[in-house]
Amino acid sequence: MDNRHSYCATTSKPDDVLSFVATGNAAPLLHEIKHALSKLLDSGVEHIIDLGAIPFGPGDERILDDVLGDGEVSATLTIMGESHVRETKIPGVWRVDHLDEKGQFQSRFIEITFMPDILKTQREDAVQGLETLAGRLDTLKGNS
Amino acid sequence: MSNKAMLPELMKTHGISRRAFMKYCASLASVMALSPAMVPRIAEALENARRPSVIWLSFQECTGCTESILRSHSPTIEDLIFNAISLDYHHTLQAASGHAAEAAREQAMKENYGKYILVVDGSIPIKDPGYSCIAGISNLDMLKETAAGAAAIVSVGTCAAYGGIGHADPNPTGAVGVSEIIKDKPIINVPGCPPIPVVMTGVLAHFLTFGIPDLDELGRPKAFYGESIHDRCYRRPFYDKGMFAENFDDEGARGGWCLYKLGCKGPITKSACATIKWNNGVSFPIEAGHPCLGCTEPDFWDNGGFYKPLSVPAGDYRKAGVAAVAGGAAIGVASALMSKAKKAKAAKAHETVDAHDLEKSS
Amino acid sequence: MNNQAFDLLMWARGPAFDIALMIFAGGIVLRIVEIFVLGRKKDLAPAKGNPVAQGLKTIFSRSVPREGLVKFAPITYIGGYIFHIGFFIAFFFFAPHIALFTDAFGVSWPSTGRVIVESATALALLALIALIYSRFTDPVRKALTTFDDYLVLVLSGLPLLTGYIAVNKLFGDPTMMMAFHILSVEALMIAFPFTKLMHAFSFAISRYYNGAIQGRKGAES
């Protein structure tokens, strides 16, 4: 991403200097989200953005949080450490944060979709679930 | 590749769900610097990947690369990768030592001949192979012997990739990187001093899933070494605005301004430090206030001084400058005096003429 | 494995710079000392005006074109101004260049941002092209131009061009382009004392002499 002609905040509070450092990448990212959202509405094509691939300063995070905000849905998945899946104040824009078992970030994504895939039950898991349920029913039958 | 347990089966035995696998693939895509659109292909590749044998050879090195990879900041990913490969020889990490260790290496080589991955850290001395030996075998011999049966070689760290610190001037041991010796095998260079942990695991993961990644002219995977630190640096706007830290405790240093003038080598250094960062993405040297040393580049140790700006001459040029000024002044005076003397001589030789003489001669 | 671009850059920053600096500094000092030691013939006539004041004034007044000359030779005057001012800004107000002066002499001054430096560079280059063009098209100027003039024009344009390419990563390996940039400056430094480039130092001396001669005669210059 071109960050040559970017701006940066030079006014800084002495106690919180770095939180204002921004690369200027937040604005183009938000535009990318906007385009993706209109594409989702037009043609149903989903889009995922890997936040780990973009240089971001603390100031950029702040802009992103301010613009997207928190929405109606927030889910915590417990799979090899937690994952947080949150819909933002902009419906159709989701934030997916994968944490490891120590609670540290593994990867962070912004998904432009009606429903993030990771929230859906995976077919393989459902197959496994069916087996488990059948097994439990057998045990139940055996007990009665 | 050997017929050891495949990753999905491993996950099933560990009670790991498909959802967890998808999360793993998503994080892996991020680590490998691949587009999130590649996640389904990563999942498919991982399902079919065999568990390869890995032999890790350490030569003239400081163990920093091994220390780094052990701190791969996503333990789950690291665990899975190390479960997905079979690390059959690594003399720092394995319990066995001496002949037992060498026997393990030989056995792994024999069982997986032509299929194993060879990981190397450290440079190889070629001036006198006796400078560095393991179990009485010189590094040079061990590398040649082990490389012969390898499917591919991963040179981890700048020493293995380009000779690194051992290769620094005056290079007393004649240290070189792997690619100077082995010419007939695919070699992936993963330089850095040390490399970023997830870059190492990311490259291994890429090799497992999609084979040898796209490499640049220095043998480095483009996904991680495609762009300079300078181009990806969050302090870049300060460079563009002409705002620089002049020393380590001035307003600029406190304000997080550009470190170019303090010797930052970011403009000529290709690495993912500015995006992937270190210590679980917490920070990287420039974010911590220190200029980049350029450790992913060949000969970074001889780049003229870590604290010298790139635009400043590397040598001790001041003496030459002073000598030139003195010499120039001396020659200038001498030349002018000679001209003056010539002029005076010419003036002396002049004959006085009057109008009559002129008339006579014409 | 060696990185040729890196090695070239290190050579440019190391031995090549030392050689260029010796020729540059030695050559300039040689020529200036020569001019001063040679001096000028004593004028025995009684002074009708102040030679020193007039000499000093002329150093500056000759930077302003005479009335009508801008219209007479617009490319030479306007192009000349733009080139000199642009080169000056790019050279003295780009932070990496200031770092060099700080390292050599311990002096530092504020740098300017990328927009100004790059605009100055681009304008200076355009002006240089215009100046070369006028030398090719104007028959009088063409006849007056020597090889030395073309060499000097090319040598002073190359650092601007390579610098612009290196900083903007327009093409080529950035490290290699940076090496080319430094080498182009070193070529300029080597040619400096032996070509008309020397005017950057000698202009003040020659203008002073001209002004002082006229001043002594009580004439304007």
Side-chain angles (χ1 to χ4, degrees):
Chain A
M1 192 173 292
D2 185 334
N3 58 353
R4 279 183 205 160
H5 307 289
S6 56
Y7 68 91
C8 65
T10 49
T11 47
S12 51
K13 280 184 199 165
D15 57 326
D16 192 14
V17 171
L18 286 178
S19 73
F20 283 88
V21 173
T23 60
N25 283 341
L29 182 78
L30 286 162
H31 278 285
E32 186 183 348
I33 294 171
K34 182 179 155 235
H35 286 295
L37 190 56
S38 79
K39 209 170 163 193
L40 178 74
L41 290 170
D42 292 345
S43 56
V45 175
E46 297 175 344
H47 187 62
I48 306 175
I49 298 164
D50 180 1
L51 286 176
I54 302 162
F56 247 42
D60 300 306
E61 296 281 355
R62 220 220 249 311
I63 296 167
L64 203 64
D65 287 343
D66 285 352
V67 175
L68 295 179
D70 286 327
E72 294 170 340
V73 184
S74 173
T76 301
L77 285 63
T78 316
I79 39 171
M80 294 196 312
E82 288 187 349
S83 291
H84 300 297
V85 182
R86 292 170 291 145
E87 193 173 32
T88 66
K89 196 84 188 161
I90 317 291
V93 180
W94 296 74
R95 301 194 62 164
V96 180
D97 298 339
H98 293 309
L99 279 65
D100 65 20
E101 278 144 345
K102 289 181 189 161
Q104 298 186 315
F105 282 114
Q106 238 178 25
S107 56
R108 302 168 63 220
F109 300 93
I110 289 180
E111 294 196 20
I112 294 90
T113 172
F114 293 114
M115 173 71 150
D117 256 350
I118 196 102
L119 279 183
K120 290 181 201 155
T121 299
Q122 307 291 311
R123 190 176 174 85
E124 289 85 343
D125 290 341
V127 170
Q128 190 74 38
L130 183 63
E131 277 174 31
T132 312
L133 185 60
R136 286 189 184 163
L137 280 172
D138 281 345
T139 341
L140 210 63
K141 235 187 262 168
N143 286 348
S144 61
Chain B
M1 303 277 158
S2 62
N3 273 330
K4 290 175 185 171
M6 289 181 282
L7 194 59
E9 258 166 53
L10 204 84
M11 300 181 95
K12 210 180 259 176
T13 52
H14 283 78
I16 296 169
S17 69
R18 179 76 187 178
R19 200 183 255 136
F21 180 62
M22 294 315 290
K23 168 178 174 172
Y24 169 60
C25 291
S27 293
L28 196 60
S30 182
V31 165
M32 291 199 282
L34 292 173
S35 152
M38 294 285 280
V39 170
R41 283 193 53 201
I42 294 170
E44 197 192 319
L46 276 180
E47 281 172 326
N48 297 318
R50 308 267 170 193
R51 190 170 175 239
S53 166
V54 171
I55 295 176
W56 183 306
L57 298 178
S58 299
F59 298 140
Q60 290 190 133
E61 45 84 48
C62 65
T63 316
C65 295
T66 299
E67 290 283 355
S68 179
I69 201 169
L70 290 178
R71 278 153 189 75
S72 181
H73 75 48
S74 308
T76 333
I77 288 179
E78 185 212 44
D79 284 353
L80 283 167
I81 285 170
F82 277 97
N83 283 330
I85 64 170
S86 165
L87 190 57
D88 291 330
Y89 176 89
H90 186 309
H91 69 214
T92 309
L93 298 181
Q94 69 194 144
S97 62
H99 291 299
E102 294 315 305
R105 179 173 65 91
E106 277 154 25
Q107 194 192 341
M109 281 172 62
K110 212 159 96 189
E111 280 174 12
N112 306 292
Y113 202 82
K115 293 172 193 161
Y116 56 84
I117 302 172
L118 172 60
V119 180
V120 179
D121 69 330
S123 60
I124 302 99
I126 52 172
K127 206 169 181 179
D128 178 351
Y131 280 130
S132 178
C133 294
I134 298 160
I137 307 165
S138 77
N139 290 170
L140 187 63
D141 289 343
M142 190 180 277
L143 175 66
K144 281 183 177 166
E145 183 192 329
T146 318
I153 302 173
V154 181
S155 296
V156 158
T158 307
C159 291
Y162 312 125
I165 295 175
H167 187 264
D169 190 50
N171 192 359
T173 63
V176 296
V178 173
S179 58
E180 299 283 312
I181 296 164
I182 306 299
K183 304 283 183 193
D184 57 346
K185 295 282 172 184
I187 298 174
I188 308 169
N189 286 331
V190 187
C193 193
I196 301 172
V198 291
V199 168
M200 291 187 268
T201 48
V203 169
L204 288 174
H206 196 287
F207 185 78
L208 283 176
T209 47
F210 301 119
I212 290 167
D214 257 4
L215 305 176
D216 69 5
E217 68 278 9
L218 291 170
R220 304 177 291 197
K222 283 181 183 164
F224 299 110
Y225 299 91
E227 279 173 278
S228 75
I229 300 228
H230 188 56
D231 281 346
R232 288 296 201 169
C233 184
Y234 77 103
R235 295 196 187 203
R236 176 60 180 268
F238 291 106
Y239 172 89
D240 289 345
K241 282 186 150 192
M243 295 162 79
F244 297 86
E246 304 278 345
N247 60 54
F248 285 103
D249 61 353
D250 66 359
E251 188 205 355
R254 281 190 291 273
W257 298 359
C258 179
L259 300 171
Y260 185 96
K261 286 188 175 180
L262 290 172
C264 187
K265 303 298 181 291
I268 58 162
T269 305
K270 287 181 172 174
S271 175
C273 291
T275 41
I276 294 179
K277 301 189 182 178
W278 289 77
N279 297 329
N280 187 18
V282 168
S283 182
F284 70 112
I286 292 170
E287 197 169 340
H290 195 281
C292 165
L293 305 182
C295 74
T296 56
E297 300 294 324
D299 296 326
F300 81 96
W301 205 257
D302 296 319
N303 64 13
F306 293 155
Y307 300 98
K308 232 175 204 187
L310 268 171
S311 58
V312 169
D316 187 13
Y317 61 93
R318 284 187 203 81
K319 271 186 206 156
V322 171
V325 167
I331 300 171
V333 169
S335 149
L337 288 180
M338 265 162 68
S339 302
K340 268 192 163 178
K342 208 171 155 190
K343 203 172 148 194
K345 211 174 145 192
K348 231 184 202 172
H350 279 177
E351 286 175 36
T352 38
V353 284
D354 57 21
H356 298 290
D357 298 331
L358 284 175
E359 225 156 79
K360 261 183 256 168
S361 63
S362 63
Chain C
M1 189 179 281
N2 285 320
N3 183 352
Q4 285 174 331
F6 181 86
D7 291 345
L8 188 66
L9 177 64
M10 289 314 296
W11 185 75
R13 287 177 66 207
F17 182 82
D18 293 353
I19 295 166
L21 178 73
M22 285 181 81
I23 295 172
F24 178 72
I28 287 170
V29 171
L30 187 156
R31 291 204 55 187
I32 291 177
V33 165
E34 205 179 28
I35 293 169
F36 280 120
V37 172
L38 274 175
R40 299 200 70 86
K41 205 175 176 183
K42 206 173 177 187
D43 190 343
L44 297 170
K48 290 177 186 157
N50 187 344
V52 178
Q54 187 70 17
L56 291 175
K57 193 190 131 200
T58 308
I59 294 179
F60 300 98
S61 67
R62 288 268 168 106
S63 295
V64 183
R66 287 270 159 107
E67 243 186 272
L69 281 181
V70 176
K71 255 187 192 165
F72 176 72
I75 295 182
T76 310
Y77 277 93
I78 298 170
Y81 272 112
I82 294 176
F83 172 76
H84 279 87
I85 294 168
F87 194 98
F88 184 84
I89 292 173
F91 184 31
F92 286 107
F93 290 99
F94 186 46
H97 301 161
I98 300 171
L100 173 62
F101 290 101
T102 310
D103 189 76
F105 305 112
V107 290
S108 178
W109 55 87
S111 55
T112 185
R114 185 166 167 158
V115 176
I116 293 174
V117 170
E118 286 185 8
S119 313
T121 308
L123 285 173
L125 266 173
L126 291 175
L128 193 74
I129 291 165
L131 288 170
I132 295 175
Y133 174 79
S134 83
R135 277 187 188 267
F136 269 110
T137 48
D138 184 326
V140 177
R141 263 182 218 119
K142 195 173 179 182
L144 287 172
T145 306
T146 59
F147 171 75
D148 185 282
D149 295 312
Y150 287 124
L151 179 76
V152 163
L153 281 168
V154 170
L155 283 181
S156 43
L158 278 179
L160 291 166
L161 184 68
T162 51
Y164 193 87
I165 294 169
V167 169
N168 284 294
K169 310 200 165 166
L170 293 186
F171 57 82
D173 180 76
T175 308
M176 187 67 98
M177 289 318 299
M178 206 190 290
F180 284 161
H181 175 60
I182 295 175
L183 288 172
S184 72
V185 174
E186 284 159 3
L188 184 73
M189 286 166 75
I190 289 169
F192 200 97
F194 314 111
T195 55
K196 288 180 186 169
L197 288 166
M198 194 58 203
H199 78 275
F201 288 92
S202 61
F203 82 98
I205 306 171
S206 56
R207 282 182 188 178
Y208 177 83
Y209 279 154
N210 279 324
I213 290 166
Q214 300 305 321
R216 200 180 163 84
K217 291 176 179 165
E220 281 287 316
S221 66

mmCIF file of all heavy atoms in Angstrom, chain B residues 70-93:
data_model
loop_
_atom_site.group_PDB
_atom_site.id
_atom_site.type_symbol
_atom_site.label_atom_id
_atom_site.label_comp_id
_atom_site.label_asym_id
_atom_site.label_seq_id
_atom_site.Cartn_x
_atom_site.Cartn_y
_atom_site.Cartn_z
ATOM 1 N N LEU B 70 12.427 -20.872 18.673
ATOM 2 C CA LEU B 70 11.752 -21.462 19.837
ATOM 3 C C LEU B 70 10.771 -20.472 20.460
ATOM 4 O O LEU B 70 9.895 -20.850 21.217
ATOM 5 C CB LEU B 70 12.780 -21.881 20.896
ATOM 6 C CG LEU B 70 13.632 -23.073 20.507
ATOM 7 C CD1 LEU B 70 14.650 -23.365 21.593
ATOM 8 C CD2 LEU B 70 12.765 -24.293 20.260
ATOM 9 N N ARG B 71 10.963 -19.190 20.145
ATOM 10 C CA ARG B 71 10.054 -18.167 20.675
ATOM 11 C C ARG B 71 9.027 -17.736 19.643
ATOM 12 O O ARG B 71 8.467 -16.645 19.739
ATOM 13 C CB ARG B 71 10.866 -16.963 21.157
ATOM 14 C CG ARG B 71 11.428 -17.198 22.538
ATOM 15 C CD ARG B 71 12.678 -16.412 22.780
ATOM 16 N NE ARG B 71 13.313 -16.823 24.018
ATOM 17 C CZ ARG B 71 13.999 -17.948 24.168
ATOM 18 N NH1 ARG B 71 14.151 -18.778 23.156
ATOM 19 N NH2 ARG B 71 14.534 -18.254 25.328
ATOM 20 N N SER B 72 8.804 -18.557 18.673
ATOM 21 C CA SER B 72 7.781 -18.275 17.677
ATOM 22 C C SER B 72 6.527 -17.849 18.414
ATOM 23 O O SER B 72 6.030 -18.556 19.279
ATOM 24 C CB SER B 72 7.528 -19.522 16.846
ATOM 25 O OG SER B 72 6.569 -19.262 15.859
ATOM 26 N N HIS B 73 6.012 -16.651 18.097
ATOM 27 C CA HIS B 73 5.062 -16.037 19.020
ATOM 28 C C HIS B 73 3.656 -16.612 18.988
ATOM 29 O O HIS B 73 2.778 -16.167 19.693
ATOM 30 C CB HIS B 73 5.056 -14.524 18.897
ATOM 31 C CG HIS B 73 4.359 -13.967 17.696
ATOM 32 N ND1 HIS B 73 3.113 -14.355 17.296
ATOM 33 C CD2 HIS B 73 4.763 -13.015 16.820
ATOM 34 C CE1 HIS B 73 2.772 -13.667 16.231
ATOM 35 N NE2 HIS B 73 3.753 -12.865 15.911
ATOM 36 N N SER B 74 3.434 -17.574 18.161
ATOM 37 C CA SER B 74 2.131 -18.221 18.198
ATOM 38 C C SER B 74 2.358 -19.685 18.542
ATOM 39 O O SER B 74 2.520 -20.499 17.655
ATOM 40 C CB SER B 74 1.442 -18.097 16.848
ATOM 41 O OG SER B 74 1.425 -16.762 16.452
ATOM 42 N N PRO B 75 2.374 -19.995 19.821
ATOM 43 C CA PRO B 75 2.738 -21.352 20.236
ATOM 44 C C PRO B 75 1.901 -22.415 19.536
ATOM 45 O O PRO B 75 2.418 -23.467 19.177
ATOM 46 C CB PRO B 75 2.472 -21.362 21.735
ATOM 47 C CG PRO B 75 2.517 -19.938 22.133
ATOM 48 C CD PRO B 75 2.051 -19.151 20.963
ATOM 49 N N THR B 76 0.641 -22.120 19.294
ATOM 50 C CA THR B 76 -0.201 -23.131 18.667
ATOM 51 C C THR B 76 0.319 -23.447 17.268
ATOM 52 O O THR B 76 0.454 -24.604 16.895
ATOM 53 C CB THR B 76 -1.651 -22.630 18.562
ATOM 54 O OG1 THR B 76 -1.871 -21.696 19.600
ATOM 55 C CG2 THR B 76 -2.608 -23.759 18.682
ATOM 56 N N ILE B 77 0.617 -22.394 16.544
ATOM 57 C CA ILE B 77 1.123 -22.593 15.198
ATOM 58 C C ILE B 77 2.448 -23.335 15.233
ATOM 59 O O ILE B 77 2.670 -24.290 14.521
ATOM 60 C CB ILE B 77 1.299 -21.234 14.493
ATOM 61 C CG1 ILE B 77 -0.072 -20.673 14.161
ATOM 62 C CG2 ILE B 77 2.139 -21.382 13.240
ATOM 63 C CD1 ILE B 77 -0.032 -19.339 13.486
ATOM 64 N N GLU B 78 3.302 -22.872 16.138
ATOM 65 C CA GLU B 78 4.611 -23.503 16.235
ATOM 66 C C GLU B 78 4.454 -24.980 16.600
ATOM 67 O O GLU B 78 5.062 -25.846 15.989
ATOM 68 C CB GLU B 78 5.446 -22.770 17.284
ATOM 69 C CG GLU B 78 6.861 -23.264 17.371
ATOM 70 C CD GLU B 78 7.381 -23.158 18.781
ATOM 71 O OE1 GLU B 78 6.649 -23.509 19.718
ATOM 72 O OE2 GLU B 78 8.525 -22.717 18.933
ATOM 73 N N ASP B 79 3.595 -25.231 17.585
ATOM 74 C CA ASP B 79 3.370 -26.622 17.984
ATOM 75 C C ASP B 79 2.931 -27.441 16.790
ATOM 76 O O ASP B 79 3.448 -28.524 16.542
ATOM 77 C CB ASP B 79 2.266 -26.700 19.048
ATOM 78 C CG ASP B 79 2.794 -26.249 20.392
ATOM 79 O OD1 ASP B 79 4.011 -26.023 20.484
ATOM 80 O OD2 ASP B 79 1.976 -26.107 21.320
ATOM 81 N N LEU B 80 1.976 -26.899 16.070
ATOM 82 C CA LEU B 80 1.432 -27.657 14.953
ATOM 83 C C LEU B 80 2.482 -27.884 13.879
ATOM 84 O O LEU B 80 2.573 -28.961 13.307
ATOM 85 C CB LEU B 80 0.211 -26.940 14.376
ATOM 86 C CG LEU B 80 -1.030 -27.129 15.235
ATOM 87 C CD1 LEU B 80 -2.128 -26.185 14.830
ATOM 88 C CD2 LEU B 80 -1.525 -28.574 15.143
ATOM 89 N N ILE B 81 3.282 -26.850 13.636
ATOM 90 C CA ILE B 81 4.305 -27.023 12.610
ATOM 91 C C ILE B 81 5.328 -28.056 13.055
ATOM 92 O O ILE B 81 5.751 -28.905 12.289
ATOM 93 C CB ILE B 81 4.973 -25.684 12.270
ATOM 94 C CG1 ILE B 81 3.994 -24.883 11.424
ATOM 95 C CG2 ILE B 81 6.269 -25.886 11.521
ATOM 96 C CD1 ILE B 81 4.398 -23.475 11.208
ATOM 97 N N PHE B 82 5.664 -27.982 14.339
ATOM 98 C CA PHE B 82 6.642 -28.963 14.778
ATOM 99 C C PHE B 82 6.028 -30.345 14.946
ATOM 100 O O PHE B 82 6.737 -31.337 14.958
ATOM 101 C CB PHE B 82 7.380 -28.472 16.027
ATOM 102 C CG PHE B 82 8.495 -27.566 15.637
ATOM 103 C CD1 PHE B 82 8.350 -26.200 15.662
ATOM 104 C CD2 PHE B 82 9.686 -28.095 15.157
ATOM 105 C CE1 PHE B 82 9.359 -25.365 15.238
ATOM 106 C CE2 PHE B 82 10.701 -27.273 14.728
ATOM 107 C CZ PHE B 82 10.539 -25.900 14.778
ATOM 108 N N ASN B 83 4.714 -30.367 15.035
ATOM 109 C CA ASN B 83 4.076 -31.674 14.960
ATOM 110 C C ASN B 83 3.950 -32.119 13.510
ATOM 111 O O ASN B 83 3.879 -33.292 13.217
ATOM 112 C CB ASN B 83 2.688 -31.634 15.609
ATOM 113 C CG ASN B 83 2.813 -31.644 17.122
ATOM 114 O OD1 ASN B 83 3.770 -32.207 17.667
ATOM 115 N ND2 ASN B 83 1.873 -30.999 17.792
ATOM 116 N N ALA B 84 3.920 -31.132 12.638
ATOM 117 C CA ALA B 84 3.755 -31.457 11.230
ATOM 118 C C ALA B 84 5.069 -31.834 10.566
ATOM 119 O O ALA B 84 5.088 -32.337 9.464
ATOM 120 C CB ALA B 84 3.124 -30.278 10.495
ATOM 121 N N ILE B 85 6.181 -31.526 11.228
ATOM 122 C CA ILE B 85 7.455 -32.007 10.709
ATOM 123 C C ILE B 85 8.057 -32.940 11.742
ATOM 124 O O ILE B 85 7.626 -32.986 12.893
ATOM 125 C CB ILE B 85 8.439 -30.851 10.419
ATOM 126 C CG1 ILE B 85 8.807 -30.113 11.706
ATOM 127 C CG2 ILE B 85 7.865 -29.911 9.376
ATOM 128 C CD1 ILE B 85 9.941 -29.129 11.548
ATOM 129 N N SER B 86 9.031 -33.700 11.313
ATOM 130 C CA SER B 86 9.710 -34.583 12.240
ATOM 131 C C SER B 86 11.146 -34.107 12.357
ATOM 132 O O SER B 86 11.952 -34.305 11.453
ATOM 133 C CB SER B 86 9.631 -36.013 11.698
ATOM 134 O OG SER B 86 10.547 -36.814 12.387
ATOM 135 N N LEU B 87 11.425 -33.386 13.434
ATOM 136 C CA LEU B 87 12.769 -32.847 13.624
ATOM 137 C C LEU B 87 13.672 -33.971 14.114
ATOM 138 O O LEU B 87 13.685 -34.306 15.287
ATOM 139 C CB LEU B 87 12.714 -31.687 14.623
ATOM 140 C CG LEU B 87 13.978 -30.852 14.773
ATOM 141 C CD1 LEU B 87 14.408 -30.259 13.457
ATOM 142 C CD2 LEU B 87 13.761 -29.738 15.794
ATOM 143 N N ASP B 88 14.411 -34.551 13.178
ATOM 144 C CA ASP B 88 15.163 -35.763 13.506
ATOM 145 C C ASP B 88 16.573 -35.491 14.014
ATOM 146 O O ASP B 88 17.204 -36.368 14.580
ATOM 147 C CB ASP B 88 15.211 -36.677 12.278
ATOM 148 C CG ASP B 88 13.841 -37.263 11.963
ATOM 149 O OD1 ASP B 88 13.067 -37.451 12.928
ATOM 150 O OD2 ASP B 88 13.539 -37.493 10.782
ATOM 151 N N TYR B 89 17.087 -34.308 13.745
ATOM 152 C CA TYR B 89 18.429 -34.005 14.241
ATOM 153 C C TYR B 89 18.555 -32.511 14.470
ATOM 154 O O TYR B 89 18.272 -31.710 13.573
ATOM 155 C CB TYR B 89 19.493 -34.469 13.234
ATOM 156 C CG TYR B 89 20.920 -34.117 13.605
ATOM 157 C CD1 TYR B 89 21.698 -34.975 14.391
ATOM 158 C CD2 TYR B 89 21.490 -32.925 13.182
ATOM 159 C CE1 TYR B 89 23.005 -34.647 14.728
ATOM 160 C CE2 TYR B 89 22.803 -32.588 13.509
ATOM 161 C CZ TYR B 89 23.553 -33.462 14.283
ATOM 162 O OH TYR B 89 24.848 -33.138 14.619
ATOM 163 N N HIS B 90 18.913 -32.129 15.673
ATOM 164 C CA HIS B 90 19.191 -30.731 15.979
ATOM 165 C C HIS B 90 20.045 -30.791 17.222
ATOM 166 O O HIS B 90 19.548 -30.992 18.319
ATOM 167 C CB HIS B 90 17.880 -29.958 16.229
ATOM 168 C CG HIS B 90 18.106 -28.468 16.412
ATOM 169 N ND1 HIS B 90 19.022 -27.961 17.279
ATOM 170 C CD2 HIS B 90 17.520 -27.388 15.814
ATOM 171 C CE1 HIS B 90 18.996 -26.621 17.217
ATOM 172 N NE2 HIS B 90 18.102 -26.261 16.331
ATOM 173 N N HIS B 91 21.353 -30.631 17.088
ATOM 174 C CA HIS B 91 22.202 -31.023 18.214
ATOM 175 C C HIS B 91 22.057 -30.141 19.448
ATOM 176 O O HIS B 91 22.479 -30.522 20.520
ATOM 177 C CB HIS B 91 23.672 -31.233 17.793
ATOM 178 C CG HIS B 91 24.404 -29.987 17.407
ATOM 179 N ND1 HIS B 91 25.367 -29.981 16.428
ATOM 180 C CD2 HIS B 91 24.336 -28.718 17.857
ATOM 181 C CE1 HIS B 91 25.843 -28.753 16.306
ATOM 182 N NE2 HIS B 91 25.231 -27.978 17.162
ATOM 183 N N THR B 92 21.408 -28.994 19.310
ATOM 184 C CA THR B 92 21.157 -28.181 20.509
ATOM 185 C C THR B 92 19.901 -28.666 21.227
ATOM 186 O O THR B 92 19.821 -28.645 22.450
ATOM 187 C CB THR B 92 20.968 -26.703 20.130
ATOM 188 O OG1 THR B 92 22.071 -26.320 19.311
ATOM 189 C CG2 THR B 92 20.935 -25.816 21.351
ATOM 190 N N LEU B 93 18.913 -29.085 20.448
ATOM 191 C CA LEU B 93 17.616 -29.410 21.041
ATOM 192 C C LEU B 93 17.459 -30.889 21.388
ATOM 193 O O LEU B 93 16.679 -31.241 22.262
ATOM 194 C CB LEU B 93 16.486 -29.003 20.084
ATOM 195 C CG LEU B 93 16.404 -27.506 19.754
ATOM 196 C CD1 LEU B 93 15.241 -27.241 18.816
ATOM 197 C CD2 LEU B 93 16.259 -26.664 21.017
#
